[in-house]
Amino acid sequence: MSLATVSETRCFGGRQVTFKHDSRSTGTAMRVAVFLPPQAERGPVPAFWFLAGLTCTEDNFAQKAGAQRVAADLGLALIAPDTSPRGDGVPDDEAYDFGVGAGFYLDATEAPWSANFRMRAYIEDELPALLAAELPLDMDRQGLSGHSMGGHGALTIGLRNPGRFRAVSAFAPIASPMNCPWGEKALPRYLGPDRAAWRAYDACALIADGARLPEILVEQGTADPFLAQQLKPELLEDACREAGIGLTLNRRDGYDHSYFFIASFIADHLRWHSARLGL
């Protein structure tokens, strides 16, 4: 279960590393990109997790967000897992929004997906334990964020584990998969037809069922082509208002769904997280 280094390069005085390991959760080899700031050479540093969106891998955030400079200044590790299991024998679908690259950060219960698509167990349990055992990370100080499908993952994992993450944010998250085409396609195929089983993977449903976070930060571009049909941030606004959760929803005029959008505001999120992580 130990980490093997795939690639490593110096970056802003720290190290940008891609690791691989055999996962018991997914039954496949998995990869994760980790930036260790220069402060990690002196001892454990807080961790900022970023969960990527549909079609992405562990490389997208590491290569496109431009987060390492600020993370190095703050002394913050960046952790970017892959979005799904991959490899020979892993079931797939020809569409981009289901199967490989579209794990939705859930544990599938329906065949054939249930054999490998166990991203909830992987992200919530297996990967944190592995990284904590092998890297200089302060796991008492963790923040969680993500983009699109990964924003959905960040919100739902954060809501299910409120004591683990001191800060939770998202970029253009799928606010309610139970109420959008992406989720209405993926959830029944992964989890079966019982909508009650879907609620653990819907931020708005989790909040309605009693899950709480003290505050959430969300960025949303107004020119995002998925805004009205897929993302629906107004549903998260309503859920947080009714539950008394402090939601800061920044609607960014003219920004779309791309990593140019993420790169424009990632420094704000890193500083917001670092303040809550005691940096």
Side-chain angles (χ1 to χ4, degrees):
M1 303 299 291
S2 61
L3 296 171
T5 300
V6 175
S7 65
E8 178 174 345
T9 187
R10 295 294 287 179
C11 184
F12 296 107
R15 297 186 295 142
Q16 181 67 53
V17 190
T18 297
F19 296 106
K20 68 178 179 180
H21 70 98
D22 292 328
S23 169
R24 64 174 180 273
S25 300
T26 66
T28 67
M30 295 293 292
R31 293 192 180 207
V32 57
V34 179
F35 173 70
L36 294 170
Q39 295 85 340
E41 296 179 6
R42 301 192 296 270
V45 294
F48 173 86
W49 293 76
F50 193 90
L51 307 182
L54 290 168
T55 76
C56 292
T57 72
E58 75 285 349
D59 285 335
N60 291 76
F61 179 75
Q63 295 183 5
K64 295 182 178 181
Q68 291 92 340
R69 183 191 295 273
V70 174
D73 289 342
L74 295 171
L76 189 62
L78 307 175
I79 303 171
D82 201 352
T83 54
S84 78
R86 300 174 192 271
D88 295 340
V90 174
D92 196 9
D93 186 272
E94 63 183 13
Y96 78 95
D97 54 0
F98 191 77
V100 172
F104 274 85
Y105 302 98
L106 52 75
D107 283 354
T109 56
E110 296 293 297
W113 317 102
S114 56
N116 305 108
F117 283 76
R118 296 182 50 79
M119 292 300 293
R120 174 182 179 174
Y122 178 68
I123 298 295
E124 289 190 3
D125 300 316
E126 182 181 3
L127 186 58
L130 178 59
L131 296 182
E134 302 205 19
L135 299 178
L137 300 175
D138 181 355
M139 302 303 275
D140 290 328
R141 294 192 290 170
Q142 298 183 75
L144 177 62
S145 188
H147 172 231
S148 194
M149 180 187 71
H152 138 76
L155 294 176
T156 55
I157 291 171
L159 285 162
R160 291 195 303 264
N161 299 274
R164 179 181 298 182
F165 300 101
R166 294 193 187 182
V168 176
S169 70
F171 290 78
I174 304 172
S176 182
M178 295 178 69
N179 294 288
C180 76
W182 279 335
E184 290 166 352
K185 174 181 179 178
L187 296 180
R189 294 183 69 184
Y190 282 136
L191 302 172
D194 184 1
R195 292 179 66 90
W198 306 359
R199 298 184 68 83
Y201 302 106
D202 183 298
C204 295
L206 283 165
I207 292 170
D209 291 344
R212 294 291 181 269
L213 289 168
E215 57 182 336
I216 300 171
L217 173 63
V218 171
E219 305 293 329
Q220 177 60 63
T222 62
D224 191 319
F226 305 113
L227 176 58
Q229 187 176 29
Q230 303 284 10
L231 306 179
K232 302 185 178 181
E234 67 278 4
L235 298 181
L236 183 63
E237 276 187 306
D238 292 344
C240 287
R241 185 183 305 110
E242 293 178 10
I245 294 174
L247 172 66
T248 299
L249 174 56
N250 296 319
R251 289 180 167 88
R252 304 295 188 176
D253 188 40
Y255 284 86
D256 60 16
H257 200 70
S258 71
Y259 266 82
F260 295 110
F261 161 60
I262 297 171
S264 298
F265 301 105
I266 189 62
D268 295 341
H269 279 240
L270 293 177
R271 294 188 179 103
W272 184 85
H273 279 257
S274 69
R276 286 148 184 81
L277 298 176
L279 292 174

